[in-house]
mmCIF file of all heavy atoms in Angstrom:
data_model
loop_
_atom_site.group_PDB
_atom_site.id
_atom_site.type_symbol
_atom_site.label_atom_id
_atom_site.label_comp_id
_atom_site.label_asym_id
_atom_site.label_seq_id
_atom_site.Cartn_x
_atom_site.Cartn_y
_atom_site.Cartn_z
ATOM 1 N N SER A 1 -3.305 17.571 14.547
ATOM 2 C CA SER A 1 -4.176 17.132 13.456
ATOM 3 C C SER A 1 -3.450 17.250 12.126
ATOM 4 O O SER A 1 -3.454 16.391 11.309
ATOM 5 C CB SER A 1 -5.443 17.928 13.423
ATOM 6 O OG SER A 1 -6.285 17.551 12.318
ATOM 7 N N ALA A 2 -2.700 18.441 11.955
ATOM 8 C CA ALA A 2 -1.889 18.672 10.792
ATOM 9 C C ALA A 2 -0.843 17.611 10.698
ATOM 10 O O ALA A 2 -0.528 17.187 9.511
ATOM 11 C CB ALA A 2 -1.343 20.084 10.770
ATOM 12 N N ASP A 3 -0.127 17.362 11.766
ATOM 13 C CA ASP A 3 0.969 16.381 11.714
ATOM 14 C C ASP A 3 0.471 14.929 11.337
ATOM 15 O O ASP A 3 1.062 14.248 10.535
ATOM 16 C CB ASP A 3 1.680 16.309 13.099
ATOM 17 C CG ASP A 3 2.485 17.599 13.418
ATOM 18 O OD1 ASP A 3 2.736 18.365 12.439
ATOM 19 O OD2 ASP A 3 2.812 17.849 14.544
ATOM 20 N N ARG A 4 -0.710 14.582 11.899
ATOM 21 C CA ARG A 4 -1.247 13.349 11.638
ATOM 22 C C ARG A 4 -1.678 13.210 10.089
ATOM 23 O O ARG A 4 -1.429 12.238 9.454
ATOM 24 C CB ARG A 4 -2.527 13.113 12.483
ATOM 25 C CG ARG A 4 -3.124 11.740 12.241
ATOM 26 C CD ARG A 4 -4.244 11.458 13.270
ATOM 27 N NE ARG A 4 -5.301 12.358 13.154
ATOM 28 C CZ ARG A 4 -5.543 13.354 14.055
ATOM 29 N NH1 ARG A 4 -4.720 13.465 15.201
ATOM 30 N NH2 ARG A 4 -6.519 14.201 13.854
ATOM 31 N N ARG A 5 -2.271 14.274 9.589
ATOM 32 C CA ARG A 5 -2.647 14.366 8.176
ATOM 33 C C ARG A 5 -1.375 14.227 7.265
ATOM 34 O O ARG A 5 -1.396 13.587 6.258
ATOM 35 C CB ARG A 5 -3.372 15.576 7.940
ATOM 36 C CG ARG A 5 -4.002 15.698 6.489
ATOM 37 C CD ARG A 5 -4.911 14.470 6.234
ATOM 38 N NE ARG A 5 -5.573 14.615 4.871
ATOM 39 C CZ ARG A 5 -6.006 13.552 4.187
ATOM 40 N NH1 ARG A 5 -5.685 12.301 4.596
ATOM 41 N NH2 ARG A 5 -6.635 13.748 3.059
ATOM 42 N N ARG A 6 -0.379 14.932 7.708
ATOM 43 C CA ARG A 6 0.864 14.901 6.914
ATOM 44 C C ARG A 6 1.482 13.406 6.857
ATOM 45 O O ARG A 6 1.853 12.968 5.758
ATOM 46 C CB ARG A 6 1.906 15.860 7.514
ATOM 47 C CG ARG A 6 3.215 16.048 6.740
ATOM 48 C CD ARG A 6 4.096 16.952 7.422
ATOM 49 N NE ARG A 6 5.370 17.124 6.800
ATOM 50 C CZ ARG A 6 5.722 17.926 5.803
ATOM 51 N NH1 ARG A 6 4.712 18.753 5.357
ATOM 52 N NH2 ARG A 6 6.892 17.951 5.368
ATOM 53 N N ARG A 7 1.390 12.800 7.969
ATOM 54 C CA ARG A 7 1.942 11.473 8.034
ATOM 55 C C ARG A 7 1.080 10.525 7.106
ATOM 56 O O ARG A 7 1.585 9.644 6.408
ATOM 57 C CB ARG A 7 1.939 10.851 9.475
ATOM 58 C CG ARG A 7 2.976 11.395 10.361
ATOM 59 C CD ARG A 7 3.138 10.625 11.605
ATOM 60 N NE ARG A 7 1.877 10.570 12.396
ATOM 61 C CZ ARG A 7 1.642 11.527 13.321
ATOM 62 N NH1 ARG A 7 2.495 12.522 13.616
ATOM 63 N NH2 ARG A 7 0.506 11.417 14.004
ATOM 64 N N GLU A 8 -0.264 10.747 7.135
ATOM 65 C CA GLU A 8 -1.133 9.896 6.232
ATOM 66 C C GLU A 8 -0.850 10.158 4.838
ATOM 67 O O GLU A 8 -0.868 9.158 4.001
ATOM 68 C CB GLU A 8 -2.599 10.274 6.593
ATOM 69 C CG GLU A 8 -3.088 9.832 7.955
ATOM 70 C CD GLU A 8 -4.398 10.363 8.422
ATOM 71 O OE1 GLU A 8 -4.946 11.276 7.615
ATOM 72 O OE2 GLU A 8 -4.976 9.976 9.437
ATOM 73 N N LEU A 9 -0.544 11.373 4.364
ATOM 74 C CA LEU A 9 -0.242 11.677 3.045
ATOM 75 C C LEU A 9 1.049 11.073 2.682
ATOM 76 O O LEU A 9 1.224 10.626 1.522
ATOM 77 C CB LEU A 9 -0.231 13.200 2.868
ATOM 78 C CG LEU A 9 -1.646 13.897 2.978
ATOM 79 C CD1 LEU A 9 -1.464 15.364 2.801
ATOM 80 C CD2 LEU A 9 -2.598 13.356 1.975
ATOM 81 N N LEU A 10 2.023 11.090 3.561
ATOM 82 C CA LEU A 10 3.400 10.457 3.251
ATOM 83 C C LEU A 10 3.256 8.973 3.138
ATOM 84 O O LEU A 10 3.907 8.303 2.241
ATOM 85 C CB LEU A 10 4.409 10.849 4.387
ATOM 86 C CG LEU A 10 4.893 12.301 4.348
ATOM 87 C CD1 LEU A 10 5.774 12.518 5.591
ATOM 88 C CD2 LEU A 10 5.721 12.556 3.055
ATOM 89 N N GLU A 11 2.375 8.373 3.982
ATOM 90 C CA GLU A 11 2.161 6.952 3.775
ATOM 91 C C GLU A 11 1.449 6.583 2.429
ATOM 92 O O GLU A 11 1.855 5.649 1.832
ATOM 93 C CB GLU A 11 1.307 6.405 5.010
ATOM 94 C CG GLU A 11 2.028 6.413 6.274
ATOM 95 C CD GLU A 11 1.163 6.294 7.497
ATOM 96 O OE1 GLU A 11 -0.087 6.124 7.313
ATOM 97 O OE2 GLU A 11 1.762 6.312 8.559
ATOM 98 N N ALA A 12 0.542 7.447 2.009
ATOM 99 C CA ALA A 12 -0.030 7.332 0.761
ATOM 100 C C ALA A 12 1.021 7.414 -0.404
ATOM 101 O O ALA A 12 1.050 6.674 -1.350
ATOM 102 C CB ALA A 12 -1.149 8.354 0.506
ATOM 103 N N ALA A 13 1.868 8.407 -0.212
ATOM 104 C CA ALA A 13 2.949 8.619 -1.195
ATOM 105 C C ALA A 13 3.872 7.397 -1.266
ATOM 106 O O ALA A 13 4.284 7.048 -2.321
ATOM 107 C CB ALA A 13 3.675 9.943 -0.905
ATOM 108 N N ASP A 14 4.108 6.873 -0.073
ATOM 109 C CA ASP A 14 5.015 5.677 -0.028
ATOM 110 C C ASP A 14 4.388 4.495 -0.745
ATOM 111 O O ASP A 14 5.128 3.773 -1.501
ATOM 112 C CB ASP A 14 5.231 5.261 1.479
ATOM 113 C CG ASP A 14 6.517 5.738 2.029
ATOM 114 O OD1 ASP A 14 7.394 6.137 1.201
ATOM 115 O OD2 ASP A 14 6.751 5.747 3.259
ATOM 116 N N ARG A 15 3.143 4.338 -0.657
ATOM 117 C CA ARG A 15 2.429 3.244 -1.401
ATOM 118 C C ARG A 15 2.594 3.393 -2.931
ATOM 119 O O ARG A 15 2.832 2.369 -3.613
ATOM 120 C CB ARG A 15 0.942 3.148 -0.972
ATOM 121 C CG ARG A 15 0.787 2.687 0.501
ATOM 122 C CD ARG A 15 -0.730 2.344 0.707
ATOM 123 N NE ARG A 15 -1.560 3.447 0.651
ATOM 124 C CZ ARG A 15 -1.854 4.257 1.621
ATOM 125 N NH1 ARG A 15 -1.306 4.048 2.876
ATOM 126 N NH2 ARG A 15 -2.713 5.202 1.511
ATOM 127 N N VAL A 16 2.452 4.662 -3.381
ATOM 128 C CA VAL A 16 2.561 4.897 -4.832
ATOM 129 C C VAL A 16 4.039 4.669 -5.203
ATOM 130 O O VAL A 16 4.257 4.047 -6.261
ATOM 131 C CB VAL A 16 2.153 6.359 -5.091
ATOM 132 C CG1 VAL A 16 2.396 6.663 -6.605
ATOM 133 C CG2 VAL A 16 0.651 6.516 -4.850
ATOM 134 N N VAL A 17 4.968 5.129 -4.398
ATOM 135 C CA VAL A 17 6.382 4.984 -4.770
ATOM 136 C C VAL A 17 6.743 3.498 -4.840
ATOM 137 O O VAL A 17 7.513 3.069 -5.687
ATOM 138 C CB VAL A 17 7.306 5.666 -3.723
ATOM 139 C CG1 VAL A 17 8.743 5.358 -3.951
ATOM 140 C CG2 VAL A 17 7.077 7.241 -3.965
ATOM 141 N N LEU A 18 6.257 2.706 -3.908
ATOM 142 C CA LEU A 18 6.523 1.269 -3.888
ATOM 143 C C LEU A 18 5.986 0.566 -5.173
ATOM 144 O O LEU A 18 6.485 -0.310 -5.636
ATOM 145 C CB LEU A 18 5.954 0.582 -2.622
ATOM 146 C CG LEU A 18 6.688 0.739 -1.358
ATOM 147 C CD1 LEU A 18 5.754 0.340 -0.154
ATOM 148 C CD2 LEU A 18 7.991 0.006 -1.343
ATOM 149 N N ARG A 19 4.899 1.167 -5.684
ATOM 150 C CA ARG A 19 4.311 0.633 -6.931
ATOM 151 C C ARG A 19 4.995 1.150 -8.173
ATOM 152 O O ARG A 19 5.177 0.415 -9.150
ATOM 153 C CB ARG A 19 2.807 0.987 -6.961
ATOM 154 C CG ARG A 19 2.021 0.379 -8.096
ATOM 155 C CD ARG A 19 0.627 0.858 -8.129
ATOM 156 N NE ARG A 19 0.548 2.282 -8.511
ATOM 157 C CZ ARG A 19 -0.263 3.163 -7.947
ATOM 158 N NH1 ARG A 19 -1.127 2.841 -6.951
ATOM 159 N NH2 ARG A 19 -0.207 4.438 -8.444
ATOM 160 N N ASP A 20 5.247 2.482 -8.233
ATOM 161 C CA ASP A 20 5.693 3.161 -9.526
ATOM 162 C C ASP A 20 7.109 3.560 -9.492
ATOM 163 O O ASP A 20 7.606 3.905 -10.545
ATOM 164 C CB ASP A 20 4.741 4.375 -9.740
ATOM 165 C CG ASP A 20 3.314 4.001 -9.878
ATOM 166 O OD1 ASP A 20 2.981 2.886 -10.146
ATOM 167 O OD2 ASP A 20 2.465 4.962 -9.661
ATOM 168 N N GLY A 21 7.790 3.501 -8.345
ATOM 169 C CA GLY A 21 9.211 3.874 -8.334
ATOM 170 C C GLY A 21 9.394 5.337 -8.796
ATOM 171 O O GLY A 21 8.586 6.236 -8.350
ATOM 172 N N PRO A 22 10.449 5.589 -9.578
ATOM 173 C CA PRO A 22 10.735 6.988 -9.950
ATOM 174 C C PRO A 22 9.691 7.614 -10.871
ATOM 175 O O PRO A 22 9.689 8.811 -11.133
ATOM 176 C CB PRO A 22 12.023 6.863 -10.702
ATOM 177 C CG PRO A 22 12.099 5.350 -11.198
ATOM 178 C CD PRO A 22 11.400 4.638 -10.105
ATOM 179 N N HIS A 23 8.650 6.795 -11.322
ATOM 180 C CA HIS A 23 7.578 7.267 -12.124
ATOM 181 C C HIS A 23 6.372 7.809 -11.314
ATOM 182 O O HIS A 23 5.378 8.128 -11.820
ATOM 183 C CB HIS A 23 7.120 6.272 -13.153
ATOM 184 C CG HIS A 23 8.019 5.923 -14.193
ATOM 185 N ND1 HIS A 23 8.321 6.692 -15.291
ATOM 186 C CD2 HIS A 23 9.012 4.995 -14.281
ATOM 187 C CE1 HIS A 23 9.341 6.183 -16.053
ATOM 188 N NE2 HIS A 23 9.763 5.125 -15.376
ATOM 189 N N ALA A 24 6.535 7.706 -9.930
ATOM 190 C CA ALA A 24 5.424 8.175 -9.058
ATOM 191 C C ALA A 24 5.176 9.700 -9.399
ATOM 192 O O ALA A 24 6.022 10.501 -9.407
ATOM 193 C CB ALA A 24 5.758 8.053 -7.654
ATOM 194 N N SER A 25 3.845 9.961 -9.571
ATOM 195 C CA SER A 25 3.396 11.386 -9.874
ATOM 196 C C SER A 25 2.538 11.976 -8.806
ATOM 197 O O SER A 25 1.971 11.230 -7.953
ATOM 198 C CB SER A 25 2.697 11.337 -11.229
ATOM 199 O OG SER A 25 1.404 10.729 -11.097
ATOM 200 N N MET A 26 2.483 13.236 -8.820
ATOM 201 C CA MET A 26 1.627 13.926 -7.800
ATOM 202 C C MET A 26 0.192 13.556 -8.065
ATOM 203 O O MET A 26 -0.614 13.417 -7.040
ATOM 204 C CB MET A 26 1.796 15.466 -7.985
ATOM 205 C CG MET A 26 3.151 16.000 -7.640
ATOM 206 S SD MET A 26 3.455 15.802 -5.820
ATOM 207 C CE MET A 26 2.748 17.252 -5.166
ATOM 208 N N ASN A 27 -0.251 13.288 -9.265
ATOM 209 C CA ASN A 27 -1.606 12.905 -9.562
ATOM 210 C C ASN A 27 -1.928 11.542 -8.956
ATOM 211 O O ASN A 27 -2.982 11.344 -8.355
ATOM 212 C CB ASN A 27 -1.938 12.858 -11.124
ATOM 213 C CG ASN A 27 -2.094 14.229 -11.728
ATOM 214 O OD1 ASN A 27 -2.574 15.090 -11.112
ATOM 215 N ND2 ASN A 27 -1.649 14.387 -13.000
ATOM 216 N N ALA A 28 -0.978 10.629 -9.086
ATOM 217 C CA ALA A 28 -1.098 9.337 -8.548
ATOM 218 C C ALA A 28 -1.223 9.298 -6.999
ATOM 219 O O ALA A 28 -1.997 8.667 -6.402
ATOM 220 C CB ALA A 28 -0.112 8.414 -9.021
ATOM 221 N N ILE A 29 -0.357 10.178 -6.439
ATOM 222 C CA ILE A 29 -0.298 10.236 -5.029
ATOM 223 C C ILE A 29 -1.512 10.906 -4.468
ATOM 224 O O ILE A 29 -2.073 10.421 -3.432
ATOM 225 C CB ILE A 29 0.992 11.068 -4.553
ATOM 226 C CG1 ILE A 29 2.268 10.226 -4.905
ATOM 227 C CG2 ILE A 29 0.988 11.321 -3.064
ATOM 228 C CD1 ILE A 29 3.495 10.979 -4.764
ATOM 229 N N ALA A 30 -1.995 11.904 -5.127
ATOM 230 C CA ALA A 30 -3.261 12.556 -4.585
ATOM 231 C C ALA A 30 -4.460 11.589 -4.662
ATOM 232 O O ALA A 30 -5.285 11.495 -3.802
ATOM 233 C CB ALA A 30 -3.569 13.781 -5.507
ATOM 234 N N ALA A 31 -4.476 10.851 -5.774
ATOM 235 C CA ALA A 31 -5.488 9.796 -5.951
ATOM 236 C C ALA A 31 -5.460 8.744 -4.934
ATOM 237 O O ALA A 31 -6.489 8.359 -4.317
ATOM 238 C CB ALA A 31 -5.488 9.169 -7.377
ATOM 239 N N GLU A 32 -4.238 8.254 -4.575
ATOM 240 C CA GLU A 32 -4.092 7.251 -3.528
ATOM 241 C C GLU A 32 -4.532 7.815 -2.138
ATOM 242 O O GLU A 32 -5.101 7.030 -1.378
ATOM 243 C CB GLU A 32 -2.632 6.875 -3.437
ATOM 244 C CG GLU A 32 -2.259 5.855 -2.400
ATOM 245 C CD GLU A 32 -2.870 4.515 -2.631
ATOM 246 O OE1 GLU A 32 -3.058 4.103 -3.848
ATOM 247 O OE2 GLU A 32 -3.029 3.768 -1.639
#
């Protein structure tokens, strides 16, 4: 369950990075 949740969070982070690039923030990733 923890591994699955970690993958989901990384996928959310990826979506923010694809949108914001080097300006991706922890706030934006958490919101995503």
Side-chain angles (χ1 to χ4, degrees):
S1 178
D3 291 344
R4 182 173 61 252
R5 185 55 172 154
R6 185 180 175 88
R7 285 194 300 272
E8 291 169 353
L9 293 176
L10 286 174
E11 287 165 4
D14 262 345
R15 292 192 293 273
V16 174
V17 169
L18 283 170
R19 184 186 71 220
D20 299 340
H23 293 278
S25 69
M26 295 293 278
N27 283 329
I29 292 169
E32 177 69 24

